[in-house]
Amino acid sequence: MAGAVRPWLAPLSLGGLCLVLASAAVAEPARLPARPPLAATFARACTIALPETQPLFAGKEAEAADDDENGSDDDSDDTDDDDEDEDDGDPPERGLILPGSGTCLSITGTVSAGLQRDSFKVSRNGPPAPPPATSFPTSAAFRIATSHQLASGLVVGSAFGFTLNSPVDGVGETTLDEATILIGPWTFGLDTSRFSFWTGDDFIFSTRAPSRTVGLIALELPLTESWTATLSLEDTALGNGSATSTTSGAPATPSLTSLAPARSFPDGVARLVYEAGGWTVHGALAVREAPSGSARPGRAGIIGVTYEREVFGATSSLTAQIAAGIDAAPYIGSQLDGRLVNRVLFGTDPTRGFSALVSTRREWTDEIATNAFISRYWLEVPLAGQAKGDIRIDRVAANIVWTPVEGFKAGIETSVAWAKIAIAGREIQAGLAGRQISTQLFLERSF
């Protein structure tokens, strides 16, 4: 049987061999150089990834999430819930992955311009009040951020931000707001103090006043799905003292705080934050090196709360905070208060005082929102051999903001500030103490 089969196989084998040779002959001239992948040719959209650290104490919510990842019949419901969570939070920071790189790069900025009218009134015993003034303040803030996820899953990122302010009396001001490197849960560089809570982002003055930044090394530790702890070492002089320059060639006028001798040790800050159900609760403690002549270290504490919910069909929020400190003046008050106090106090001055603030926001429609706040700052300066010095600052501000499209807003804001400064032997510049009323018409464009 084997000899009978071979004559039938011979034609098939010969035909198959011819077919293979013909195919090879036709395919050989069609070879082309390999093309680079499409991802290496064009930039791709991406979002800046933030480090995600597993909570130290996983609760029922985390266990339920793990069960859903392992397998669940309600995948569509979970997707809907995730979409709702993304809508409730801040939108992700979008960028591009450049060709040949696995790093996401994002460049954002805000340009603000307006018309401002200021009027002053001082006490009879103080220096003469400046005349009413009209100005056209402008500012531009830029931020460059990167994010890269290593093969191990570790996220490495960086951020660099600065603000350019319009010249005042021929002197412009450039402020370095942020210069950080993120490695997983660690943050190194220049950034906002982890002690701070309310930042005043809903008010135009926040884009015109230098940011309240410090040099820091911070570690963020999620405890549960709702609780997060942060530990940081901070240097207030690095942020407030060295982050400002001028654009006209004239030297910047340094604050008295920046003229103080450098501290031997950085400040220590511990923070605990709770976020759930429309509530945000922030508590922090700060300890710093004792000023000269004091046997105990400086210390400060803060408690801040924000509650957001819908009231009569409109989203409303209420924020309140109170901070107190002994020999820790840089940690209390708003950035406007701190900027004024730094011009009349030395870093070695003993101090004790507190600050309190209440702020509210209501979104009447998708385009119209109103904001208001009231604050008090009080600081006692018990200098040796004289009566106690006293600094008091009260502020009230309100605005109405129109946002017709995303990234653009216009509005009007009015603020009143009362400042009383009484420190023996210190020269108080005109305009620092007394009453100041400011009204601003502003336009702001973000990209």
Side-chain angles (χ1 to χ4, degrees):
M1 291 295 293
V5 173
R6 287 175 183 174
W8 294 95
L9 293 175
L12 295 176
S13 300
L14 182 59
L17 179 61
C18 293
L19 180 61
V20 171
L21 293 176
S23 301
V26 173
E28 184 65 27
R31 290 182 180 177
L32 296 175
R35 294 183 178 180
L38 185 62
T41 307
F42 299 98
R44 294 175 293 150
C46 62
T47 57
I48 297 295
L50 297 178
E52 295 184 0
T53 306
Q54 292 297 325
L56 297 180
F57 307 101
K60 295 181 179 180
E61 297 178 2
E63 294 176 358
D66 292 339
D67 294 340
D68 292 340
E69 290 178 0
N70 295 332
S72 175
D73 297 334
D74 299 332
D75 292 339
S76 59
D77 295 339
D78 294 340
T79 302
D80 294 339
D81 293 340
D82 293 340
D83 293 340
E84 291 178 0
D85 293 341
E86 291 180 0
D87 293 340
D88 294 340
D90 295 333
E93 193 172 353
R94 302 186 182 279
L96 292 175
I97 296 180
L98 301 181
S101 171
T103 300
C104 183
L105 172 66
S106 172
I107 301 177
T108 57
T110 301
V111 178
S112 175
L115 169 66
Q116 179 172 328
R117 179 68 175 178
D118 297 310
S119 61
F120 305 88
K121 182 178 180 181
V122 299
S123 62
R124 297 179 180 178
N125 299 327
T134 300
S135 58
F136 302 89
T138 59
S139 64
F142 300 93
R143 186 175 188 269
I144 302 171
T146 65
S147 177
H148 183 85
Q149 186 169 10
L150 304 179
S152 62
L154 181 68
V155 175
V156 178
S158 65
F160 178 81
F162 62 95
T163 299
L164 304 173
N165 293 296
S166 58
V168 178
D169 297 331
V171 179
E173 190 176 53
T174 302
T175 304
L176 181 60
D177 303 324
E178 182 180 10
T180 57
I181 296 176
L182 287 79
I183 303 177
W186 291 91
T187 301
F188 305 87
L190 188 73
D191 202 1
T192 303
S193 171
R194 297 306 188 256
F195 184 88
S196 301
F197 178 57
W198 185 83
T199 58
D201 292 338
D202 296 325
F203 297 87
I204 192 63
F205 76 78
S206 65
T207 64
R208 309 264 172 85
S211 299
R212 194 175 198 176
T213 55
V214 297
L216 58 77
I217 301 175
L219 172 62
E220 188 167 297
L221 298 172
L223 302 180
T224 67
E225 295 297 320
S226 304
W227 292 91
T228 303
T230 303
L231 301 174
S232 67
L233 298 176
E234 303 184 358
D235 185 351
T236 57
L238 180 62
N240 296 332
S242 63
T244 302
S245 64
T246 61
T247 57
S248 66
T253 301
S255 65
L256 297 185
T257 301
S258 66
L259 299 177
R263 293 179 176 271
S264 303
F265 305 99
D267 304 345
V269 175
R271 181 182 70 178
L272 192 61
V273 177
Y274 171 83
E275 293 181 287
W279 287 92
T280 300
V281 181
H282 167 110
L285 296 173
V287 178
R288 64 191 332 236
E289 184 180 351
S292 58
S294 176
R296 302 181 64 182
R299 55 269 189 205
I302 185 174
I303 296 178
V305 178
T306 293
Y307 181 60
E308 181 176 339
R309 62 168 299 175
E310 284 196 4
V311 180
F312 300 114
T315 302
S316 302
S317 65
L318 180 66
T319 297
Q321 76 169 29
I322 184 169
I326 299 177
D327 296 331
Y331 288 101
I332 63 176
S334 67
Q335 58 200 50
L336 277 180
D337 298 331
R339 192 181 192 190
L340 187 153
V341 171
N342 286 344
R343 298 170 68 178
V344 298
L345 283 185
F346 289 101
T348 55
D349 288 338
T351 60
R352 60 186 64 197
F354 76 94
S355 65
L357 176 141
V358 176
S359 176
T360 181
R361 174 179 174 83
R362 183 171 177 83
E363 298 176 1
W364 301 92
T365 67
D366 293 338
E367 295 82 20
I368 302 295
T370 56
N371 305 278
F373 84 88
I374 181 172
S375 68
R376 163 159 287 193
Y377 178 98
W378 175 77
L379 198 68
E380 186 179 81
V381 187
L383 298 175
Q386 68 174 45
K388 294 180 179 179
D390 188 47
I391 300 176
R392 295 185 183 182
I393 307 172
D394 294 321
R395 298 184 188 274
V396 176
N399 66 23
I400 180 170
V401 180
W402 176 51
T403 310
V405 295
E406 184 179 359
F408 174 82
K409 67 180 181 181
I412 181 172
E413 179 173 303
T414 297
S415 63
V416 183
W418 297 269
K420 177 184 177 183
I421 304 175
I423 303 178
R426 300 284 171 88
E427 182 179 353
I428 308 302
Q429 299 179 19
L432 293 186
R435 186 192 68 190
Q436 177 178 349
I437 301 177
S438 299
T439 301
Q440 305 176 47
L441 296 171
F442 62 88
L443 301 174
E444 187 175 286
R445 181 71 172 92
S446 301
F447 59 89

